[in-house]
Amino acid sequence: MGEVSTAFRWVGRNDRVVVEAYDDPKVQGVTCYVSRARTGGVKGTVGLAEDRAEASIACRQVAAAVQFVGKLPLQEDVFTERMSVLFKRLHIVRLVDPKRNTLVYLTYSDKLVDGSPQNSVTAVPVSAGNPIPLK
């Protein structure tokens, strides 16, 4: 969606914070906006740099009504994206809070050996007249 530079690099792209939008494939009308650091320089430009494990998430209802594509599990990995050549991935997980009829989205990163405890969470309340269908 967009980005801002955070540190100048003489060679290659600058370090930056990028904002990306992800539509939930099973919940029409909900979009998650994720901001995260991207490493620049030569390694970052050719895709060999390891990005930092920090991310922030904000999910919102972006349509007049939320519609579900089938029944949802209580917890599901909705998106994953590589953050380094081999070992680090960014995850967005959807959790369902049936008591409050709310969708909760969590973002975190993991590594093959040691993940990061840094995370961010957001919630999207769903109208009481539209109960979330559960598996």
Side-chain angles (χ1 to χ4, degrees), residues 7-133:
F8 175 75
R9 297 283 186 139
W10 286 101
V11 179
R13 297 186 73 170
N14 291 339
D15 291 352
R16 59 208 185 281
V17 173
V18 298
V19 177
E20 298 164 321
Y22 300 93
D23 294 323
D24 188 326
K26 291 187 179 177
V27 184
Q28 295 175 351
V30 172
T31 299
C32 293
Y33 300 91
V34 177
S35 68
R36 61 190 177 109
R38 299 298 294 263
T39 303
V42 174
K43 286 185 177 181
T45 301
V46 297
L48 297 175
E50 184 171 306
D51 294 329
R52 296 178 57 110
E54 302 162 357
S56 179
I57 189 170
C59 298
R60 299 293 184 264
Q61 180 177 331
V62 295
V66 172
Q67 296 180 357
F68 301 98
V69 180
K71 294 183 178 184
L72 303 179
L74 287 175
Q75 180 175 324
E76 181 175 21
D77 216 2
V78 179
F79 309 103
T80 61
E81 184 175 312
R82 183 178 63 84
M83 293 176 68
S84 72
V85 175
L86 296 174
F87 304 115
K88 189 186 278 186
R89 297 189 73 77
L90 174 75
H91 294 267
I92 299 174
V93 177
R94 179 192 339 96
L95 302 116
V96 178
D97 179 354
K99 180 179 177 184
R100 294 166 189 84
N101 207 45
T102 299
L103 301 168
V104 179
Y105 293 86
L106 166 73
T107 186
Y108 70 97
S109 70
D110 67 2
K111 272 186 165 178
L112 186 61
V113 177
D114 184 25
S116 172
Q118 295 182 4
N119 62 80
S120 182
V121 68
T122 186
V124 178
V126 178
S127 166
N130 187 11
I132 299 170

